[in-house]
Amino acid sequence: MKSIFFFVLMTITSPCYAADLTGNWAAKDPLGDGTFRTTYLDLPQEGERITGTIRITQFYYKIVECSGSADGFTLTGSMMDGTSERRVKYEGKLVGEELHVAARRRADAPLVEMVAHRVPAGEGRYPVRRPLPTLHKVADNGLARRPPMGWNSWNKFAGRVDDAAVRGMADAMATNGMKEAGYQYINVDDTWEAGRDERGNITTNKKFPDMKALADYVHSKGLKIGIYSSPGPNTCAGYEGSYGHEEQDAKTYAEWGIDYLKYDWCGARNLYRDDEMRAVYQIMGDALMKSGRPILYSLCQYGRADVWKWGADVGGNTWRTTGDIRDSWDSMTKIGFAQDELAEWASPGHWNDPDMLEIGNGGMNDDEYRTHMSLWAILAAPLLAGNDLRNMTREILEILTNREVITISQDKAGKQGRRVSKSGEQEVWARTLFDGAVAIGMFNRGSAPAQVSVTWTETGLKKTPHEARELWQHSDVKMNGAEYTAIVPAHGVVMLRVTP
Ligand code: GLA
């Protein structure tokens, strides 16, 4: 009994580090673009144990474990991310006035070494939560009558995007046939932002010396330009968000000549709950309407809070329906084939967005990329290429610019397609077009070639067709009878346009 008592007492009171760390510490990691990511370690010492929080951009970890000796300490921080727990580990020691730490932000991530200095208590704390506006319906901006087509920097470049790369993409799009095929937007994703100037205006970091000049350049190619921000104080990559500056930022975007805004929840997570998203997104919806420039509004909050039910009411033209896509067959199909039930929420001006294209990024073969393109077209999803447009194979360019498939994507009825049948790993999807024709995707998710059959009555066709167009072979197909069977390559697709 006595020994248990001593054991409990020891674990509560045993010091994990002999020195006193009490205080607020900040460590800056250079991100290589002239900006820094700051980690705050707020460490109120309780007795001889280290407690408190670690904050990296919008992520707060509560310190749940500490151990150590006179030579150094190890802290474990824990955060709930949805229903799963994320942990970070910090090892460190005091060296004079400096706190030297080495962090592992995921179990499999490399160690990052940092030097932290004492900063005033409260520095780095999140801004306070502002009251939310009452809900109303933001007027339709009239944009995106067809699913937006363009390019976005994130999938290929992430934090490495800069002015020169964006100009290069505009040059490529304007000359390689993509523009003629309907691609229009050149979208800069996260990591262009610096802090704010003394009047609170958002500024660009050194990768983007002059955003207005860049917008002028993109416009001079007959294209449009998009930008990225967050309703929170920080973006997902830890850059400056629009929190408390929504109208000011919308005005800045309009002055620069921006045509498209992707608005990513991330940093808002510490201030607002999911059921408050509609009000939060309405703030920027209103701000864009007041900006005096038509700016396509793209909501990015990973499909939470049934965004399809209210996305249009905050002025949204597109809304993400899922978490981030990766350049793999598993990721792409998990997302793409899960969109069936959202079809009723899509209409001209308002689209479900299962995330950007990975076509050409190297993680899938050409059959798999044809499946990606076909499925996104049937889903009436935005077609935002995510590869390096300056440098792609002829096959990839042909996949991205297949006019017959793009015609399906851009069909003016704006009806999202649905799954009509599934048998094992084979699925048939159909999208009804404005003229009563039907686009049909015969998909083989299996890893060997397989027969796939479609029965016309399932697809919404009123009459038995005798002819169809195959949109990847660019050939006419004769058929008769109540169904049609094709051999579909492994992970591939046969895509038909069938006119009764
Ligand atoms: C989130 C979004 C991505 C991308 C990154 C940028 O993860 O879902 O599409 O914008 O943020 O940090």
Side-chain angles (χ1 to χ4, degrees):
M1 186 63 207
K2 213 169 182 181
S3 63
I4 292 177
F5 175 75
F6 274 119
F7 175 76
V8 171
L9 195 70
M10 285 289 289
T11 30
I12 295 171
T13 59
S14 68
C16 51
Y17 190 50
D20 184 5
L21 300 181
T22 296
N24 192 21
W25 300 83
K28 288 185 166 191
D29 287 293
L31 293 173
D33 55 15
T35 62
F36 293 87
R37 178 181 4 234
T38 309
T39 300
Y40 291 97
L41 300 111
D42 193 357
L43 308 173
Q45 207 134 336
E46 270 172 24
E48 293 185 307
R49 289 186 62 76
I50 301 170
T51 61
T53 57
I54 299 169
R55 180 188 144 211
I56 312 154
T57 67
Q58 79 276 23
F59 301 111
Y60 275 97
Y61 297 87
K62 191 169 158 32
I63 295 170
V64 291
E65 277 171 34
C66 77
S67 61
S69 62
D71 299 334
F73 60 83
T74 303
L75 302 176
T76 303
S78 158
M79 183 191 79
M80 288 311 290
D81 190 5
T83 51
S84 61
E85 188 195 17
R86 287 165 62 146
R87 285 192 163 213
V88 283
K89 241 185 186 45
Y90 281 70
E91 291 162 23
K93 58 177 179 232
L94 262 183
V95 179
E97 294 292 293
E98 294 176 339
L99 184 61
H100 289 201
V101 284
R104 206 179 285 289
R105 290 184 182 145
R106 284 189 321 271
D108 55 346
L111 270 182
V112 183
E113 296 191 358
M114 290 175 291
V115 176
H117 295 97
R118 286 187 187 276
V119 292
E123 186 184 314
R125 203 167 281 157
Y126 244 50
V128 293
R129 185 190 143 97
R130 283 176 310 152
L132 288 167
T134 50
L135 295 178
H136 66 91
K137 239 174 132 90
V138 178
D140 187 346
N141 61 15
L143 300 172
R145 297 300 104 174
R146 312 280 154 84
M149 293 177 68
W151 174 85
N152 174 292
S153 60
W154 187 254
N155 285 355
K156 175 74 187 175
F157 294 90
R160 295 180 312 278
V161 64
D162 62 9
D163 179 278
V166 174
R167 286 173 192 249
M169 296 311 145
D171 294 343
M173 188 181 282
T175 52
N176 67 6
M178 289 181 76
K179 180 178 156 188
E180 288 71 21
Y183 290 87
Q184 190 181 22
Y185 291 99
I186 295 283
N187 293 349
V188 180
D189 206 280
D190 203 353
T191 80
W192 62 268
E193 316 87 335
R196 294 184 179 276
D197 68 15
E198 62 288 348
R199 276 168 300 155
N201 293 315
I202 185 76
T203 62
T204 55
N205 60 44
K206 69 173 189 218
K207 297 189 300 167
F208 290 92
D210 186 341
M211 201 56 96
K212 175 148 181 24
L214 180 59
D216 289 346
Y217 185 81
V218 172
H219 291 149
S220 78
K221 301 280 161 184
L223 300 169
K224 296 189 155 143
I225 184 166
I227 213 165
Y228 166 101
S229 190
S230 170
N234 303 96
T235 67
C236 293
Y239 289 72
E240 185 79 15
S242 292
Y243 184 68
H245 294 273
E246 293 83 357
E247 281 194 14
Q248 195 175 8
D249 285 359
K251 238 179 106 228
T252 303
Y253 304 152
E255 280 161 14
W256 285 342
I258 299 295
D259 306 296
Y260 186 123
L261 173 68
K262 171 173 170 183
Y263 207 45
D264 192 347
W265 183 246
C266 261
R269 61 191 293 161
N270 290 317
L271 300 171
Y272 299 106
R273 297 186 310 264
D274 278 17
D275 62 359
E276 296 170 318
M277 281 177 170
R278 176 173 169 185
V280 174
Y281 273 92
Q282 178 184 296
I283 300 172
M284 186 52 95
D286 283 336
L288 292 176
M289 289 306 277
K290 270 179 78 173
S291 75
R293 186 175 173 89
I295 298 179
L296 193 154
Y297 190 25
S298 159
L299 277 45
C300 176
Q301 39 77 288
Y302 337 115
R304 289 156 78 141
D306 291 349
V307 59
W308 36 89
K309 295 184 181 161
W310 51 264
D313 294 334
V314 300
N317 298 108
T318 69
W319 44 83
R320 279 272 296 276
T321 58
T322 73
D324 289 11
I325 196 168
R326 278 171 296 108
D327 181 22
S328 74
W329 169 252
D330 276 356
S331 167
M332 183 274 287
T333 51
K334 214 170 139 192
I335 288 177
F337 288 109
Q339 304 296 309
D340 182 39
E341 283 173 8
L342 300 182
E344 64 169 297
W345 303 101
S347 65
H350 312 289
W351 310 102
N352 290 307
D353 173 9
D355 208 358
M356 304 168 292
L357 300 174
E358 290 282 11
I359 295 168
N361 280 334
M364 291 180 252
N365 65 34
D366 290 350
D367 276 325
E368 295 172 332
Y369 286 138
R370 277 187 276 274
T371 294
H372 191 358
M373 185 76 185
S374 306
L375 190 50
W376 264 238
I378 288 174
L379 293 173
L383 296 179
L384 295 173
N387 61 324
D388 188 343
L389 305 181
R390 299 167 301 188
N391 176 13
M392 60 179 141
T393 63
R394 238 200 43 222
E395 287 75 22
I396 292 299
L397 182 61
E398 276 172 13
I399 293 172
L400 285 171
T401 54
N402 183 325
R403 300 286 188 104
E404 298 196 73
V405 173
I406 289 173
T407 304
I408 305 303
S409 149
Q410 302 291 297
D411 182 76
K412 68 180 177 201
K415 268 185 80 105
Q416 179 172 330
R418 300 205 60 167
R419 178 189 287 116
V420 296
S421 71
K422 179 172 192 303
S423 145
E425 292 178 295
Q426 287 73 47
E427 302 193 13
V428 177
W429 287 62
R431 172 171 176 185
T432 302
L433 307 175
F434 81 99
D435 58 357
V438 177
I440 293 174
M442 304 169 77
F443 295 100
N444 175 15
R445 297 175 68 176
S447 45
Q451 278 196 2
V452 182
S453 298
V454 49
T455 309
W456 305 124
T457 48
E458 293 170 341
T459 65
L461 277 170
K462 299 275 181 293
K463 286 193 213 129
T464 303
H466 299 291
E467 216 175 60
R469 181 83 179 155
E470 208 294 318
L471 308 186
W472 289 108
Q473 300 298 324
H474 305 294
S475 61
D476 295 328
V477 189
K478 293 257 176 281
M479 48 192 46
N480 56 65
E483 60 170 50
Y484 175 71
T485 300
I487 307 285
V488 183
H491 291 183
V493 58
V494 164
M495 189 160 172
L496 304 173
R497 180 191 181 106
V498 189
T499 314

